Amino acid sequence: MRDKRFDEGSGVSGPYVLGLGEVDEDRAGLVGGKGAHLGALSRVDGVRVPDGFCVTTDAFRRVVARAPEVDALLDRLAGADPDDREAVRALSAKVRRAVEEAVIPDDLAAGIIGAVARLGEEAAYAVRSSATAEDLPTASFAGQQDTYLNVVGPAEVLRHVSRCWASLFTERAVIYRRRNGIDDRTVRMAVVVQRMVLPDASGVLFTADPVTGHRRTATVDAGFGLGEALVSGLVNPDVLTVRDGEVVARTIAVKERAVHALPGGGTREVTVEAGQRERPALTDAQAVELVRLGRRIEAHFGCPQDIEWCLNDDGFRIVQSRPITTLFPVPDPVPVPEAAGGRTPSVYVSVGHQQMMTDAMKPLGWSMWQRTAMVPMHEAGGRLFVDVTPRLASPASRAALLDVMGKGDPLVRDALETVLERGEFDLPVPDAGPVGPPADGAPEASVTEADPAVVAELVERSETSVAALKRDIRTKSGPELFDFLAEAFEEHKRVLSDPLSMRAIMAGMEATWWLNDKLGEWLGEKNAADALTLSAPGNITSEMGLDLLDVADAIRPHPEVVAFLNGVQDDAHGDGFLDGLLKLPGGSAAREAIGTYLARYGMRCVAEIDITRPRWSEHPATLVPLILDNVRNFGPGAAERRFEQGRLRALRTEQDVLTRLRALPDGERKADETKRMIDQVRAFAGYREYPKYGIVCRYFLYKQALLEEAGRLVRDGVLAEREDVFHLTFQELEDVVRSRRADDRLIARRKEAFRSYGALTPPRVLTSDGEAVTGSYRRDDVPEGALAGLAVSTGSVEGRARVILDLADAELEEGDILVTRFTDPSWSPLFLGVAGLVTEVGGLMTHGAVIAREYGLPAVVGVDRATRLIRDGQRIRVHGTDGYVEILD
């Protein structure tokens, strides 16, 4: 309900004191996040907020300006090493003391005291911090600044306002701001002063499940007395789960202590009477009523809320509401057919987990992928998802979908099966058609014969198409460029969907699956295809790693070049180093070798499915650490030697397998079928990597053309900088080019959203209810304490774990085991110098798995939280055959 006491003309002091009824979200810069939300809450029908007022950020700014020592201390705090906790602690304490001791001007003090008088001088108040960097959609700052309860008398209110100002510089608040990239000087503090509610019960309401993200599930934490008992951890709360208007779960805690207000001010702990300790703090009806209020608040703010509430004989009061910042966003809702009663959720599978790139993408990146993908994709949190609901709902396609998902990532399959077990997919949907390979039996030879000429023809088709794109796009600009790109995207998809290309890819995959299944059945071999695919011809990604060894061969004989490159490695702005090589003995040969490498692979980079990421051609210094590792860890001719060793090992394995098969009953037939599958897998397994290479080649040409267009927009004053286009979708960029107008505020919001998305972990499976469904390995063959994953490359290896989250930070020694979140083709050169691989994301046919098999590295992928559970430097053992990792230290 709106607070009428502080409307304009009520006599409240100028810009320094405003009633809650005078503020809303648009005035957050003046009253802070908490004050803005409380003001907005006071306008929500049926929601009651305790009467109060805000001491504005202008008041804070004025008081701090009168204390020049604060400015000097902030300079010292800004220069302090963020990892030096003791220095941060000492300096922040000095800043707090200086702010708290600053004199409040008489007119400001009079304005605050007058506001207290109008609400009641004898009343008790809650005096609460409200910073401008608080209760944001991207960072809640919950608990970072101070709140004081049951403050009695105008003088005490004034004193606690100063204490709230000072709490802007608590050690925890300073560190939290630094982690979120917020400058201490840019944050201002307002203070909210409200009449105290002396509640029978209080607590917190989450309008979405804070653990699973389920948006229809609300969680209520409740205890006796003031909420301080829950916040401080003094008592365990009652926890009630409410879904669709009813309590579906409850846990009633034994509440031995509570916090109550003292008559003269302050609070104290009290002992709850023995007969009351197991009494619920809320009835089911009260919990449902509270959630109903929470849904109104959620609807007003447009996102799930973390709400603090109080309850007394007069009903519920809401004392705070902030966004829940840890939830993964939900894709745009898809209309649900009436037959579902409006309740069957959509189920989405992560694209990033299939592409081995789970980082957030900028809008131009994900919208370009949408435009060029073969299936519709939905964006959420800077990631892309595919709606698999129709295939799950149709029994005819469900089994095939689960089979394909299981082969790629067992955790995705298990998550989908978890959703199916709930029985929410009875919706009759037209059959979506079969998906994936035949369930059993050897693929027919007519699918694609093991003819190397097929791959050669496909590569030639792709190269011809890319060459035509490169030739034609050069002449296009302005609106004409976007007309051209519309046609180019159709050609892009035509090349991707070439039936011959699809048959070649499936032939290699099917042969792999067949060999693993049949040789496991006939010979007891696990993942037998791994050794048979070593050094398979035509794998562009493995060739990329081997070719970088050849670059090292061109550099190794020239010590001046090696020394120069070591300097480049330590220079964050070393991308001009190629010209510098020409001044050194041997530098011309080195430059030519690197240039030749970039001509073939320069369009690649980490997270290359995002067109906005810098390519190796744009930042060639990215390759220098990898080249130097190769110089240090390998000798001349290593590329040819490694490839030949792999080829010979595969040939020996083939001969051994065929010999053993012929000794079995019906052995000649089994050997003949196996030989045909071996030939097929060696002919087509390498091609599996080529379509991605073709996509990235085209993407680089798109990017170059779009950046040239962005440069023209900057020169014309439409954009501030070229990279602003990365924060527009493709359609928005086209609109800007055609209209010559850009929305700077939209770009700023997108930049902030992108920063926030980086802190979120995308789920493998997400429902339209917002639930992140986590799959699990339901296995009993993993030793206690070991980390389960998916076996993708056979063998066992023990070594030092190197936990690397950024390719640029890779420093490896012989025998190290690479542990990372995910790998895409850009990581392949690193595989040459490691003994094994562990990733959090991946499947049997994803790039990291394919290249690990190519190079003969034991590998386990899909190991949940591997980079957090394994410490850098620990000794681990990778069981690539059985799919688990042991931590030995």
Side-chain angles (χ1 to χ4, degrees), residues 156-457:
E156 282 298 291
V157 170
L158 272 179
R159 186 170 74 87
H160 284 85
V161 166
S162 290
R163 294 183 70 184
C164 282
W165 286 335
S167 74
L168 185 62
F169 301 103
T170 61
E171 178 190 0
R172 64 181 182 271
V174 169
I175 291 172
Y176 190 89
R177 284 195 292 272
R178 292 191 177 194
R179 288 176 180 168
N180 284 274
I182 297 173
D183 188 338
D184 292 327
R185 293 180 180 279
T186 65
V187 184
R188 298 289 182 264
M189 179 70 85
V191 179
V192 175
V193 180
Q194 288 178 282
R195 288 283 296 259
M196 273 290 294
V197 176
L198 303 180
D200 299 319
S202 58
V204 178
L205 161 65
F206 294 97
T207 64
D209 189 314
V211 177
T212 69
H214 198 286
R215 302 305 201 263
R216 287 191 294 119
T217 300
T219 302
V220 179
D221 288 4
F224 296 141
L226 293 169
E228 188 66 19
L230 300 184
V231 173
S232 65
L234 180 65
V235 298
N236 291 324
D238 294 346
V239 180
L240 295 92
T241 302
V242 179
R243 184 182 302 138
D244 298 334
E246 65 176 315
V247 175
V248 296
R250 68 181 62 76
T251 300
I252 306 303
V254 177
K255 298 171 282 295
E256 296 183 351
R257 310 286 291 173
V259 174
H260 287 175
L262 292 170
T267 62
R268 68 172 180 179
E269 294 180 19
V270 299
T271 301
V272 177
E273 294 180 9
Q276 298 295 310
R277 292 176 182 175
E278 295 185 42
R279 179 174 66 83
L282 290 181
T283 66
D284 283 5
Q286 288 170 329
V288 170
E289 178 189 353
L290 176 62
V291 171
R292 192 175 297 117
L293 286 175
R295 294 293 179 216
R296 290 184 182 179
I297 295 169
E298 179 183 69
H300 176 84
F301 289 116
C303 63
Q305 297 287 299
D306 167 359
I307 298 168
E308 295 180 19
W309 56 270
C310 298
L311 175 68
N312 59 18
D313 292 340
D314 197 27
F316 286 103
R317 295 288 192 281
I318 303 301
V319 296
Q320 188 166 338
S321 185
R322 62 169 72 92
I324 306 175
T325 59
T326 57
L327 301 178
F328 199 85
V330 179
D332 290 337
V334 178
V336 178
E338 292 183 5
R343 278 294 358 117
T344 296
S346 293
V347 180
Y348 303 92
V349 170
S350 165
V351 173
H353 285 80
Q354 299 169 53
Q355 289 294 330
M356 298 289 279
M357 205 293 277
T358 58
D359 288 348
M361 300 168 71
K362 294 172 184 173
L364 187 61
W366 56 255
S367 63
M368 286 285 285
W369 195 261
Q370 282 179 321
R371 291 266 178 154
T372 54
M374 302 306 299
V375 296
M377 294 180 179
H378 305 267
E379 182 271 339
R383 281 80 168 187
L384 290 172
F385 295 84
V386 173
D387 185 356
V388 297
T389 313
R391 294 195 180 279
L392 283 181
S394 170
S397 60
R398 182 184 304 159
L401 174 71
L402 292 173
D403 184 55
V404 169
M405 292 295 173
K407 284 184 167 71
D409 187 337
L411 293 178
V412 171
R413 174 172 183 147
D414 188 76
L416 292 174
E417 289 177 333
T418 298
V419 173
L420 285 169
E421 287 168 2
R422 300 171 184 169
E424 296 177 335
F425 288 89
D426 298 326
L427 175 66
V429 173
D431 182 49
V435 179
D440 55 3
E444 296 296 327
S446 60
V447 172
T448 305
E449 293 291 349
D451 182 1
V454 171
V455 171
E457 178 184 348

Side-chain angles (χ1 to χ4, degrees), residues 74 78 95 188 276 308 429 451 507 520 554 579 687 750 759 840:
L74 286 177
V95 177
R188 298 289 182 264
Q276 298 295 310
E308 295 180 19
V429 173
D451 182 1
D579 291 337
Y687 179 71
R750 292 279 178 74
E840 294 180 346

Side-chain angles (χ1 to χ4, degrees), residues 550-551 553-555 557-558 561 581-582 584-596:
D550 291 338
V551 174
D553 286 353
I555 290 170
H558 307 293
V561 172
L581 287 171
L582 297 177
L584 303 171
S588 295
R591 192 187 192 289
E592 182 180 358
I594 296 173
T596 300

Side-chain angles (χ1 to χ4, degrees), residues 331-619:
D332 290 337
V334 178
V336 178
E338 292 183 5
R343 278 294 358 117
T344 296
S346 293
V347 180
Y348 303 92
V349 170
S350 165
V351 173
H353 285 80
Q354 299 169 53
Q355 289 294 330
M356 298 289 279
M357 205 293 277
T358 58
D359 288 348
M361 300 168 71
K362 294 172 184 173
L364 187 61
W366 56 255
S367 63
M368 286 285 285
W369 195 261
Q370 282 179 321
R371 291 266 178 154
T372 54
M374 302 306 299
V375 296
M377 294 180 179
H378 305 267
E379 182 271 339
R383 281 80 168 187
L384 290 172
F385 295 84
V386 173
D387 185 356
V388 297
T389 313
R391 294 195 180 279
L392 283 181
S394 170
S397 60
R398 182 184 304 159
L401 174 71
L402 292 173
D403 184 55
V404 169
M405 292 295 173
K407 284 184 167 71
D409 187 337
L411 293 178
V412 171
R413 174 172 183 147
D414 188 76
L416 292 174
E417 289 177 333
T418 298
V419 173
L420 285 169
E421 287 168 2
R422 300 171 184 169
E424 296 177 335
F425 288 89
D426 298 326
L427 175 66
V429 173
D431 182 49
V435 179
D440 55 3
E444 296 296 327
S446 60
V447 172
T448 305
E449 293 291 349
D451 182 1
V454 171
V455 171
E457 178 184 348
L458 289 167
V459 170
E460 183 179 1
R461 288 184 191 179
S462 178
E463 289 178 345
T464 299
S465 179
V466 170
L469 173 65
K470 185 175 183 179
R471 180 192 66 236
D472 296 339
I473 202 170
R474 290 173 179 168
T475 62
K476 305 299 188 292
S477 64
E480 185 185 14
L481 171 63
F482 289 87
D483 293 338
F484 172 80
L485 286 174
E487 298 176 5
F489 293 164
E490 291 306 310
E491 168 67 6
H492 182 124
K493 290 191 279 190
R494 187 196 66 76
V495 172
L496 275 183
S497 60
D498 183 334
L500 182 60
S501 178
M502 299 301 293
R503 289 200 299 271
I505 291 171
M506 288 308 300
M509 294 172 65
E510 290 168 349
T512 298
W513 296 330
W514 189 93
L515 287 167
N516 285 336
D517 289 345
K518 292 302 182 181
L519 296 184
E521 175 187 342
W522 294 336
L523 298 178
E525 296 278 352
K526 288 185 177 180
N527 301 320
D530 292 0
L532 294 166
T533 56
L534 289 168
S535 296
N539 188 315
I540 189 72
T541 307
S542 62
E543 289 171 2
M544 181 172 67
L546 295 172
D547 286 350
L548 202 62
L549 288 175
D550 291 338
V551 174
D553 286 353
I555 290 170
R556 190 180 296 105
H558 307 293
E560 295 93 339
V561 172
V562 174
F564 175 77
L565 291 179
N566 272 301
V568 170
Q569 182 177 223
D570 298 329
D571 181 2
H573 305 286
D575 283 323
F577 75 96
L578 289 174
D579 291 337
L581 287 171
L582 297 177
K583 304 173 185 177
L584 303 171
S588 295
R591 192 187 192 289
E592 182 180 358
I594 296 173
T596 300
Y597 188 84
L598 289 173
R600 191 175 191 206
Y601 305 112
M603 75 296 295
R604 310 215 82 153
C605 67
V606 172
E608 61 193 7
I609 70 170
D610 183 354
I611 196 174
T612 71
R613 293 295 188 102
R615 310 285 138 173
W616 288 343
S617 287
E618 296 170 315
H619 292 293

